């Protein structure tokens, strides 16, 4: 049962065109990070790793990278703890305005970041946290929580609550049942949520523009100012590193998603 | 026909004062006037009284929605009664959370922890009780040996068949040696052969461990073969609690008679009544003797209930109740057949015959149905139903 030839060829051409459209700009710019020259242009005057050496200098790139890492990890941990608790609450408990609470929890995903950023700016200013790590972590946690709520919530949908009853009947107190049974089973959702939360913080530029200071300069923020001040292949080198990092993270997410599907299939059986 | 009768005859019996009296040392569990409603208006369990004797295998039997599973869940602690109280060993279970009750529960869908091995699943209740590593290993080994799955200790639940998973669930529920084990339709998901095998296995475990089992099922065959006593549930109440023989041979209400086994329910009117027996008149004026399930007045409408297997077709024995009829149809069941006769004008009576008799009978044959007077039981018809 083979399909007629013409539609298949057409589909391949169309699919290829979409891929080229999506990837070409990125693929075209990446080689420039290996340029020996100082301009973002072709033809390359020669190949060198000089821009990778530049971004390996302590300041500003490694400094900004470290800041991003610290803020990202802290915001991720907070998002995961709060987001998992929120997701567990809204999927387990029956209460009035449940849907409203879910929408509220997910709203940072859809509210324009500039609006969130402005709100966070005023809030942190009032709280005296503007320009501090704490302030930035709080801001990024707020942006990261919805991703955790969404992924953990989705995993909890397929979670068989009889397992909790079973654990309790066997002498497991509620917290033991959560850590022994629920958490290991929903772990793929938690980890996916964590990765999304981390990427959100690590890529975040708008809120960082509002609330970061020279001491808490993050990588995207530094990239952004770099674009304004002096455009060099160092930016492309940074971008290349970030793309590699993102690909690695996304592959992890995909792997976990497949594993979760396998696990829940075996539970259902 | 049975369905119609079930709908029409919702006979219910309030437990007598003696049954709901004070605590008896032989009782492990008592339900005292237990009520359950989820929404405040629909009553799922209705002022229910029930005693579970220490060491017995008690089955809660009833159609879906009759409240039997809700009762089990209240006993396990997953649901709270809306009224009344449940006593375990004479102590109220109010405010006792499930994890402190020490009751083993076997769930219909097994509820094995998918991320743990079989051995880890069985070890879970022991780990919660902070037993030593060596003690846990010993008892897990013992429990897995008892269900003959020791060789699968390191597998995960998903790698086991349904029957094996259910045996693991059993082992997990008994490994911490609870006095009381609850089972919620544990064999519902298994095919017939496996189910019969598991029934034997559960009986064997109960005989070995001498614990108390409360078993929920809607399968009457399962209830009759496994239980010491059966409690028949209907609409949130218990119709009868008795041994399987008693339930089957001397059902207390028309509901029990119809729910368990096949049954003929023939409308009749009481003509004479004396202590335990009565003479009833069928439509068309034919009169037969029957056992009375309570006091009847002459002229009262009743239902005459007779098991199809207790009716003889063209039997030779005299001095029995007899009824002339004509065969409408014969249904073949493999090991037996049911003859559907039309009698007394418009009543259909089913009689069970051996398969060798099927050859001599055919549609349209005139037959004589007969049964012993005590095998026909007269039940009251509940008003308004």
């Amino acid at each position: 049962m083979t399909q007629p030839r013409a539609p298949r060829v057409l589909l391949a051409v169309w699919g290829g065109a979409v891929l080229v459209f999506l990837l070409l700009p990125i693929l075209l710019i990446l080689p420039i990070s290996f340029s020996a020259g100082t301009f973002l242009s072709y033809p390359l005057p020669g190949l060198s790793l000089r821009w990778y050496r530049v971004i390996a200098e302590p300041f500003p790139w490694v400094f900004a990278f470290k800041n991003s890492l610290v803020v990202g990890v802290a915001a991720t941990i907070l998002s995961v703890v709060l987001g998992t608790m929120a997701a567990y609450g809204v999927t387990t408990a029956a209460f009035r305005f449940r849907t409203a609470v879910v929408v509220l929890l997910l709203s940072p995903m859809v509210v324009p970041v500039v609006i969130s950023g402005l709100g966070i700016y005023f809030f942190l200013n009032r709280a005296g946290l503007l320009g501090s790590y704490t302030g930035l972590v709080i801001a990024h946690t707020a942006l990261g929580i919805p991703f955790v709520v969404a992924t953990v919530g989705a995993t909890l949908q397929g979670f068989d609550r009889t397992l909790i009853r079973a654990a309790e009947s066997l002498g497991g107190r509620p917290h033991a049942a959560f850590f022994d049974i629920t958490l290991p089973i929903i772990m793929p959702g938690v980890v996916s949520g964590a990765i999304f939360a981390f990427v959100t913080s690590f890529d975040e530029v708008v809120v960082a523009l509002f609330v970061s200071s020279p001491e808490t300069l993050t990588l995207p923020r530094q990239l952004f100012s770099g674009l304004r001040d002096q455009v060099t292949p160092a930016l492309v080198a940074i971008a290349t590193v970030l793309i590699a990092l993102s690909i690695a993270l996304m592959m992890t997410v995909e792997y976990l998603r497949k594993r979760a599907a396998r696990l829940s299939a075996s539970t259902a059986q | 026909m049975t369905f119609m009768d079930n709908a029409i005859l919702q006979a219910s019996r309030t437990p007598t004062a003696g049954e709901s009296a004070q605590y008896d040392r032989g009782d492990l569990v008592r339900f005292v006037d237990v009520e359950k409603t989820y929404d405040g208006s629909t009553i799922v369990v209705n002022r229910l009284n029930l005693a579970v004797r220490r060491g017995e295998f008690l089955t809660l039997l009833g159609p879906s929605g009759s409240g039997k599973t809700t009762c089990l869940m209240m006993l396990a602690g997953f649901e709270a009664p809306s009224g009344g109280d449940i006593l375990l060993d004479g102590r109220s279970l109010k405010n006792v959370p499930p994890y402190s009750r020490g009751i083993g529960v076997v769930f219909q869908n097994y509820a094995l922890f998918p991320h743990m091995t079989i051995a880890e699943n069985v070890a879970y209740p022991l780990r919660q009780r902070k037993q030593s590593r060596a003690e846990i290993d010993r008892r897990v080994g013992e429990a897995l040996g008892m269900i003959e799955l020791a060789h699968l200790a390191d597998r995960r639940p998903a790698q086991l068949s349904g029957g094996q998973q259910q045996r693991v669930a059993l082992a997990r529920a008994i490994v911490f040696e609870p006095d009381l084990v609850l089972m919620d339709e544990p064999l519902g998901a298994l095919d017939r052969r496996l189910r019969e095998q598991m029934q034997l296995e559960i009986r064997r475990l109960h005989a070995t461990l001498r614990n108390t089992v409360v078993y929920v099922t809607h399968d009457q065959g399962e209830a009759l073969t496994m239980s010491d006593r059966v409690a028949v549930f209907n609409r949130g109440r218990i119709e009868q609690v008795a041994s399987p023989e008693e339930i089957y041979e001397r059902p207390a209400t028309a509901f029990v008679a119809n729910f368990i086994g096949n049954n003929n329910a023939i409308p009749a009117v009481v003509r004479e009544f004396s202590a335990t027996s009565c003479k009833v008149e069928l439509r068309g004026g034919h009169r037969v003797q029957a056992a009375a399930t309570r006091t009847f007045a002459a002229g009262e409408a009743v239902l005459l209930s007779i098991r199809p297997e207790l009716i003889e077709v063209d039997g030779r024995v005299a001095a029995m109740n007899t009824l002339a009829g004509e065969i409408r149809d014969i249904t073949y069941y493999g090991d037996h057949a049911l003859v559907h006769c039309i009698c007394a004008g418009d009543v259909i009576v089913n009689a069970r015959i051996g398969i060798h008799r099927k050859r001599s009978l055919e549609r349209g044959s005139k037959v004589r149905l007969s049964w012993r007077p005590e095998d026909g039981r007269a039940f009251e018809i509940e008003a308004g139903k």
Side-chain angles (χ1 to χ4, degrees), chain B residues 56-61 203 206 213 215 217 219-231 242-245:
Chain B
E56 80 171 332
F57 193 114
L58 174 72
T59 296
L60 313 185
L61 173 70
R203 281 298 295 173
H206 176 244
V213 176
Y215 188 99
T217 184
D219 180 336
Q220 37 138 333
E222 206 164 280
L224 294 179
T225 54
M226 298 182 75
S227 325
D228 296 321
R229 289 198 305 156
V230 180
S243 68
E245 294 84 356

Side-chain angles (χ1 to χ4, degrees), chain B residues 52 64 74 78 120 123 141 157 167 232 261 271 335 338 357 379:
Chain B
V52 183
S64 53
M74 288 192 287
F78 304 137
E120 285 166 351
R167 269 146 74 193
V232 183
R271 285 303 167 214
D335 58 342
L338 272 189
R357 293 283 314 277
F379 290 109

Side-chain angles (χ1 to χ4, degrees), chain A residues 160 162-174 176-177 180-182 184-185 263 266-267 269, chain B residues 73 78-79 98-99 103 105 107 109 111-116 124-125 127-129 158 160 165 172 176:
Chain A
D160 176 8
T162 319
L163 295 180
I164 296 180
R165 288 186 163 188
E168 290 192 11
S169 77
L170 297 170
R173 285 159 184 279
D180 294 342
I181 312 300
T182 313
I185 293 175
L263 255 181
S266 63
T267 319
Q269 185 260 357
Chain B
M73 293 297 126
F78 304 137
E79 305 281 356
Y99 52 82
I103 298 175
V105 184
F107 296 88
N109 68 352
L112 296 180
F113 307 132
H115 58 298
M116 296 185 187
Y124 190 79
R127 278 200 359 244
Q128 296 307 309
R129 286 165 176 75
L160 269 57
Q165 289 188 43
R172 192 179 61 176
F176 58 105

Side-chain angles (χ1 to χ4, degrees), chain B residues 263-300:
Chain B
N263 189 46
N264 292 296
I266 306 163
V269 174
V270 175
R271 285 303 167 214
E272 287 168 33
F273 172 80
S274 65
T276 56
S277 74
C278 56
K279 181 162 267 188
V280 298
E281 183 177 311
L282 309 185
R283 259 179 247 167
H286 191 79
R287 291 190 182 193
V288 293
Q289 285 285 340
T293 56
R294 69 165 176 82
T295 310
F296 292 113
E300 196 170 338

